[in-house]
Amino acid sequence: MSALSNPTAETPHVSVLLEEVLSAIAPASGKRVVDATFGAGGYSRAFLSAGAEVIAFDRDPTAQRFAAPLAAEGRFRLVEAPFSEMEQHIAAPIDGVAMDLGVSSMQVDEAERGFSFMRDGPLDMRMSRSGPGAADLVNGEEQAELARIFYVYGEERQSRRIASALVRRRAEQPFTRTLDLAETVERALGGRRGAKAHPATRVFQALRIAVNAELTELEQGLDAAERLLGVGGRLAVVTFHSLEDRIVKAFFTERAGRTPGGSRHLPPQTGGPKPSFELLFNGARTPSEAEVAVNPRARSAKLRAGVRTEAPAWRVAA
Ligand SMILES: C[S@@+](CC[C@H](N)C(=O)[O-])C[C@H]1O[C@@H](n2cnc3c(N)ncnc32)[C@H](O)[C@@H]1O
């Protein structure tokens, strides 16, 4: 079997919206494409199969284990770095940038990574395996800051109540394990009360986003992609929750010159930056029922995509 075939037992992450991303990026021989979130390499394999050269990024050092078979293709390299730093590793112009945000199945399923409230593991959640982890935040942040994290990154309405319960509990015994945190959150909310999702879902999402600075990464990654893409280059972004999608939607709406709020009674605004993207399609593409049936993790995915125009990038590099 070729190293470019579909996922197998060695590549346990099933790629989401793969056909749609392929059609948005249009990889081909002679094209240079960035896979900004390598994971198990599903997108990279498909881009390579289409003949493109692929520069992949993943800030998780364990992603390297899926890279070795692809490196043999000669048109591939994986850089261990956050995608916000992609400009430090590649020269413009690039023909495509694909982002498939969030965590991989390998990260969630491995209890030792501490991403899951279903599996007992250390309270970690660091994609890069460096810097402060979730336990540092839960045990070290002020109560008001914890409440803010849960409210802003988890859209958790009971954020203050949960933060107060965690601060009381950690004074007796600091948190070190995922299940301990999940159970404490559940108790603070008065149990499950018939809810479909686990009561700690939002708190875990919030901590993961905070630990990995995911929203700042996304904003900086989109700006970097805009600067790197040549005219006609394509940007495709798959999001998994509303906070991510809001950022991507606002980016494309703004860069395509479609920002609402202008008055139809006034002449169009002039003098602002020219649109740096044309939308590839209106709105977001979502997975088919068939895809969700096979891969339930795809259910909240949304793809947005655009084609780079010749207008300059809106933001210069910091
Ligand atoms: C959903 S998975 C990607 C799966 C991949 N498309 C596939 O088909 O196998 C997301 C991956 O992106 C990585 N990642 C998330 N945010 C990142 C960032 N800001 N910089 C670099 N890698 C990131 C995660 O470590 C994870 O391995």
Side-chain angles (χ1 to χ4, degrees):
M1 192 187 279
S2 151
L4 302 182
S5 341
N6 273 331
T8 63
E10 295 92 53
T11 58
H13 181 94
V14 181
S15 299
V16 172
L17 287 167
L18 179 60
E19 287 307 318
E20 292 81 353
V21 168
L22 266 178
S23 131
I25 295 286
S29 176
K31 304 252 182 208
R32 290 171 75 217
V33 173
V34 170
D35 178 356
T37 49
F38 178 72
Y43 287 4
S44 284
R45 268 193 303 281
F47 299 155
L48 287 166
S49 286
E53 177 190 335
V54 177
I55 307 101
F57 289 82
D58 203 301
R59 59 180 168 180
D60 186 341
T62 61
Q64 288 289 350
R65 74 193 131 133
F66 301 108
L70 302 192
E73 294 291 322
R75 289 176 279 118
F76 173 81
R77 74 187 157 103
L78 172 62
V79 183
E80 185 190 319
F83 58 58
S84 59
E85 294 175 7
M86 62 176 113
E87 287 163 292
Q88 296 172 21
H89 302 275
I90 25 173
I94 284 287
D95 299 297
V97 176
M99 295 179 176
D100 177 18
L101 299 171
V103 278
S104 66
S105 302
M106 295 75 73
Q107 290 166 330
V108 177
D109 292 345
E110 205 180 304
E112 286 306 299
R113 301 300 302 267
F115 285 104
S116 173
F117 48 77
M118 312 281 284
R119 297 177 173 78
D120 194 34
L123 199 47
D124 187 335
M125 304 195 193
R126 296 165 306 164
M127 290 184 194
S128 67
R129 304 201 127 164
S130 63
D136 297 305
L137 290 191
V138 172
N139 295 319
E141 289 295 356
E142 301 272 341
Q143 183 171 325
E145 176 58 8
L146 280 181
R148 189 194 70 81
I149 289 172
F150 301 153
Y151 187 71
V152 176
Y153 298 146
E155 300 184 288
E156 172 57 72
R157 279 177 291 169
Q158 309 263 30
S159 56
R160 291 207 191 120
R161 188 161 151 194
I162 296 169
S164 152
L166 299 191
V167 167
R168 255 182 283 124
R169 188 0 256 280
R170 80 186 185 192
E172 293 157 22
Q173 194 190 358
F175 290 95
T176 59
R177 310 288 296 176
T178 49
L179 284 194
D180 180 20
L181 177 66
E183 284 159 14
T184 310
V185 172
E186 187 175 337
R187 273 197 301 278
L189 294 177
R192 302 216 173 192
R193 298 182 169 179
K196 265 200 247 155
H198 189 288
T201 307
R202 293 166 190 276
V203 164
F204 271 64
Q205 172 185 303
L207 286 171
R208 197 198 88 196
I209 291 174
V211 164
N212 297 289
E214 288 180 40
L215 303 184
T216 313
E217 265 296 311
L218 175 56
E219 284 167 349
Q220 294 180 354
L222 293 171
D223 287 345
E226 182 189 30
R227 290 187 290 266
L228 276 176
L229 284 166
V231 178
R234 283 144 174 258
L235 173 61
V237 189
V238 177
T239 62
F240 288 87
H241 55 75
S242 56
L243 295 172
E244 290 172 344
D245 187 56
R246 231 173 274 157
I247 291 173
V248 177
K249 182 178 176 186
F251 175 86
F252 276 124
T253 306
E254 186 187 63
R255 297 306 207 273
R258 295 196 182 189
T259 308
S263 166
R264 64 194 164 90
H265 304 298
L266 293 171
Q269 299 275 321
T270 51
K274 296 209 166 60
S276 57
F277 280 95
E278 265 170 36
L279 301 187
L280 210 49
F281 43 81
N282 282 327
R285 295 258 150 95
T286 53
S288 63
E289 279 177 23
E291 176 170 356
V292 176
V294 177
N295 183 14
R297 277 178 181 163
R299 70 186 173 278
S300 52
K302 283 188 178 168
L303 167 69
R304 295 182 190 272
V307 183
R308 191 72 175 81
T309 67
E310 51 190 34
W314 283 27
R315 246 174 239 137
V316 289

